[in-house]
Amino acid sequence: MENYKDITKVVYNPKSTSAFAFRFYNPDEIIAGKSMSDQLKFAMSYWHTIDAAGTDMFGGDTMDKNFGKAGVERYIAKADFAFELMNKLQIEYYCFHDADIAPQGESLAENIKNQNKIVEYLETLQTKHGKKLLWNTANNFGDKKFMAGAATSPNADVFALAAAKVKWGLDTAKRLGASGYVFWGGREGYDTLLNTDMGLELDNLARFMHLAVDYKHKIGFKGAFYIEPKPKEPTKHQYDFDAATCMNFLRKYDLENEFKLNIEANHATLATHTFQHELRTAAVNNAFGSIDANQGDLLLGWDTDQFPTNVYDTTLCMYEVLKAGGFTSGGLNFDAKTRRQSNTFEDILLAYIAGMDSFALGLRMADKLIRDGRIDKFMHERYASYESGIGKKIVDGATNFDELSTYALAHENIQVASGRQEYLESVLNEILFN
Ligand code: XLS
Ligand code: NI
Ligand code: NI
């Protein structure tokens, strides 16, 4: 197998005998009216790709991503590696937390100083290589000060610290021209209600979001705000449990016009939903924003952040994305890391190739499914009773219980049509494998 340094650019070549080629991702090919690169908008996650080195609960690093350097120099080398990798993989976007890009020291002031140095460097790299920031965010969960939460900490000084870090994040988002900014709950949740004032914590979370919105408008940052739902981990109960819970929160606190959702596949399954369910919930609430692409292992109950290779899932995901009108500010961020045993630089490329090709294939199949039309046609016919007669009156809000009751008394011979689940599943198989 080729060495990492010998691979300059991974290109589309379905006939290639090399492992370092795309079999399905052809960036300039038009699918469903847009180039594949515009439909998929792939992004690289800094934390998993540039920083994570294989540590798990039982053992340390299996991979060295320090480039023989320390301090700020190490993070300059990491930034070079990040852009080199994006170039090799033809990835246009990236995402990071404040703490991912620079060494973290003893004080907020020192961290900000280090981060600003690297941001200056990232700015030059973005211009030089034509790359863009999809979104950034704050790591308001790693430091022990955040052990009881950030915006929902019982300690108001922590709320202020979290605000300072998000303020830096928004200034940086504006400076680097990010298309969005993500709020993942981190440790915003609880482990026991015996020590938790849930009402105050939720109110404070909303106060925090309103302050962030005010600041965004004050500085004129034009990117989108996203909330990323997750049901558990690290806390037993995360306040941003799933898409529906987030929408309830946003509406209760008058924030629904300022936020969209960033749906992560593995978070959906942890919430005992399918990825497709979460995407549809976002879409029907007019809150479809961006995607953290990964997959979990259904036999393990945690966020394993694996590279996505399940083509049923990527197909149904891209089906939802196309139906929602495609990405605007959002994209597909690989919130995914190589397995601990996949500890070479070649593995990083292979993992991205697998993930990108799985989504490229998913896009091709979703487009085929839509063009085939059988699913849409079935769906249309299934709800046809709402297009005329009493059904139309229901939809138009032009009836009442008296009329419906009279109607029901006169129409008791009701035949509900078959849902045809198995047939529809076989249509999906035919599209995928025929
Ligand atoms: C953790 C989250 C995290 C967010 C960004 O489970 O997925 O990585 O995407 O803070
Ligand atoms: Ni995520
Ligand atoms: Ni996650």
Side-chain angles (χ1 to χ4, degrees):
M1 196 174 270
E2 296 102 301
N3 289 323
Y4 177 81
K5 60 171 176 17
D6 299 330
I7 297 144
T8 48
K9 192 175 172 190
V10 177
V11 296
Y12 175 66
N13 183 358
K15 301 225 160 67
S16 173
T17 52
S18 166
F20 299 96
F22 294 121
R23 266 79 187 165
F24 303 103
Y25 182 49
N26 187 11
D28 295 329
E29 187 179 331
I30 305 293
I31 305 271
K34 276 198 266 182
S35 69
M36 290 186 92
S37 62
D38 283 345
Q39 289 288 17
L40 294 161
K41 292 182 70 186
F42 290 128
M44 181 206 71
S45 69
Y46 224 90
W47 53 105
H48 285 315
T49 311
I50 310 304
D51 294 320
T55 296
D56 72 6
M57 303 276 264
F58 303 94
D61 291 355
T62 56
M63 203 179 164
D64 186 354
K65 290 179 180 168
N66 296 327
F67 304 98
K69 298 193 162 75
V72 170
E73 288 307 310
R74 174 183 293 171
Y75 284 82
I76 293 279
K78 279 175 182 276
D80 286 334
F81 170 56
F83 282 75
E84 176 191 295
L85 192 67
M86 285 189 273
N87 281 338
K88 283 184 203 274
L89 287 162
Q90 304 196 55
I91 290 179
E92 196 181 342
Y93 296 89
Y94 70 114
C95 303
F96 65 77
H97 301 80
D98 49 5
D100 301 339
I101 58 163
Q104 300 294 289
E106 293 304 311
S107 69
L108 176 64
E110 187 187 337
N111 291 346
I112 288 180
K113 201 175 116 220
N114 288 341
Q115 288 159 200
N116 281 340
K117 268 191 215 149
I118 304 290
V119 166
E120 201 182 321
Y121 191 55
L122 292 174
E123 208 173 10
T124 60
L125 289 176
Q126 279 187 197
T127 316
K128 182 168 166 208
H129 298 285
K131 305 293 179 199
K132 296 173 200 146
L133 186 60
L134 188 67
W135 50 261
N136 61 314
T137 184
N139 181 330
N140 283 355
F141 45 88
D143 191 277
K144 69 177 183 219
K145 294 185 191 101
F146 296 117
M147 73 176 188
T152 68
S153 172
N155 186 321
D157 290 357
V158 177
F159 185 105
L161 172 63
K165 292 183 71 199
V166 172
K167 176 190 181 300
W168 181 87
L170 295 176
D171 290 336
T172 301
K174 190 183 173 201
R175 177 171 175 187
L176 293 178
S179 359
Y181 187 88
V182 161
F183 295 83
W184 166 58
R187 291 181 195 273
E188 314 291 27
Y190 66 84
D191 293 321
T192 172
L193 286 174
L194 293 174
N195 66 13
T196 302
D197 185 343
M198 187 197 275
L200 177 66
E201 291 198 1
L202 283 166
D203 289 350
N204 280 348
L205 186 57
R207 290 181 180 113
F208 192 93
M209 297 309 196
H210 274 287
L211 292 169
V213 168
D214 291 347
Y215 190 70
K216 170 189 173 175
H217 293 316
K218 184 186 154 197
I219 64 171
F221 171 54
K222 296 278 177 276
F225 269 7
Y226 309 111
I227 292 195
E228 181 178 323
K230 184 174 186 181
K232 56 186 172 186
E233 192 193 77
T235 68
K236 182 175 78 176
H237 181 98
Q238 301 272 132
Y239 290 133
D240 299 332
F241 193 95
D242 60 1
T245 307
C246 288
M247 291 317 299
N248 181 59
F249 172 84
L250 292 172
R251 292 210 178 93
K252 176 177 176 191
Y253 293 105
D254 252 338
L255 287 160
E256 73 269 28
N257 296 324
E258 299 286 350
F259 286 82
K260 297 208 176 300
L261 300 179
N262 181 37
I263 301 296
E264 177 163 325
N266 202 167
H267 296 182
T269 48
L270 288 178
T272 62
H273 296 311
T274 60
F275 187 19
Q276 191 186 10
H277 169 95
E278 287 295 85
L279 290 165
R280 183 76 63 92
T281 303
V284 300
N285 283 289
N286 200 20
F288 168 67
S290 201
I291 289 178
D292 269 9
N294 61 15
Q295 74 184 28
D297 183 321
L298 293 182
L299 300 186
L300 302 173
W302 65 89
D303 201 12
T304 56
D305 289 333
Q306 290 164 232
F307 274 86
T309 54
N310 181 319
V311 177
Y312 283 103
D313 283 346
T314 60
T315 298
L316 294 173
C317 167
M318 292 315 297
Y319 177 78
E320 294 301 319
V321 172
L322 291 178
K323 288 279 181 184
F327 288 116
T328 52
S329 54
L332 279 166
N333 165 47
F334 285 101
D335 194 348
K337 59 184 177 221
T338 56
R339 297 303 82 198
R340 191 166 188 269
Q341 295 181 60
S342 304
N343 61 341
T344 69
F345 283 88
E346 290 76 24
D347 284 305
I348 299 175
L349 289 176
L350 294 170
Y352 270 95
I353 292 168
M356 291 166 77
D357 256 351
S358 299
F359 266 96
L361 181 54
L363 170 63
R364 289 177 187 278
M365 293 301 115
D367 175 50
K368 205 171 150 200
L369 198 59
I370 292 169
R371 280 188 293 108
D372 172 86
R374 275 177 288 176
I375 301 233
D376 277 345
K377 182 162 177 281
F378 181 83
M379 192 89 87
H380 189 106
E381 284 167 5
R382 190 166 191 231
Y383 294 91
S385 67
Y386 287 95
E387 281 167 19
S388 59
I390 196 70
K392 183 151 193 325
K393 280 189 159 185
I394 293 170
V395 170
D396 291 346
T399 185
N400 53 48
F401 265 21
D402 290 320
E403 185 186 19
L404 288 166
S405 175
T406 308
Y407 180 92
L409 287 165
H411 295 83
E412 283 202 85
N413 184 19
I414 298 172
Q415 301 294 330
V416 180
S418 165
R420 298 263 192 265
Q421 180 171 334
E422 298 82 355
Y423 159 71
L424 296 168
E425 287 166 346
S426 76
V427 169
L428 178 58
N429 278 348
E430 187 192 322
I431 297 290
L432 284 175
F433 300 110
N434 203 355

